[in-house]
Amino acid sequence: MSKKIIVLLIGVIFSLVAFTSIAGAEGMQKENQALNARQEQMVAIAAFTAKGDLPKLKAALNDGLDAGLTVNEIKEVLVQMYAYTGFPRSLNGINTFMGVVEEREAKGIHDEIGREASPMPADKSSVELGTENQTKLAGVPVRGPIYTFAPAIDQFLKAHLFGDIFGRDVLDFKSREIATISALASMEGVNSQLQAHFNLGFNTGLTESQMKGIISVLNDQVGKKESENAAEVLGKVLSTRLK
């Protein structure tokens, strides 16, 4: 084999190694990708809705629209919040958003309305759809003594929360869990639910970096106490999932 051919072969080998390394690095970077700008604003919107801080919510709503969230996506976050924060917080959030949209229209800002929710499956009841969604999110059928003790709450969770709300495809499951985690992390006394939704979030495909991104937004915009508590709960979840 001539020296020229050997040199060419070595060059090809080095090129293949370099390409493989770059591809691997890009794949790892994609896997560890943090939140994008739209998702960061979902965190802030859900958090301030949960806390009832309407001036900060108003700013977050404007930032969300500027970041590319559609009007219907933000509406969907605010509607979902009633299941976790109660009707008063949700209604106040929606009312604040109405004012934001009107102000922006008056300034000549035309925000994208976005798509409407698709019709629900005609061949499934809300309970059937909700049971499927809940099981998909949890990874296993959800059972427990609390649901035996109060079966009505089991039915409402399946039919209404995971069926009627999570069944609406304006937001995907990842976005819904980002909003839910952010809201729960901004409330006191709900760490068991926060822990459960960190797990559900991982099951939707959210990465550890994205979870930490949620906590970073909470730290920067909501408060140190909230972010530190969320980080502690996430740590417990990670230690459990790694076993």
Side-chain angles (χ1 to χ4, degrees), residues 200-234:
L200 296 186
F202 278 122
N203 291 346
T204 68
L206 289 173
T207 66
E208 182 178 342
S209 291
Q210 289 172 319
M211 296 297 192
K212 290 179 178 177
I214 293 173
I215 294 171
S216 179
V217 174
L218 292 172
N219 183 68
D220 293 343
Q221 299 196 42
V222 180
K224 187 175 181 181
K225 181 178 72 172
E226 290 82 357
S227 65
E228 287 181 347
N229 179 67
E232 184 178 343
V233 174
L234 176 60

Side-chain angles (χ1 to χ4, degrees), residues 159-176:
H160 191 44
L161 176 58
F162 291 107
D164 294 335
I165 297 178
F166 272 67
R168 291 171 56 84
D169 59 0
V170 176
L171 297 175
D172 60 18
F173 283 176
K174 285 185 181 180
S175 298
R176 291 194 180 279

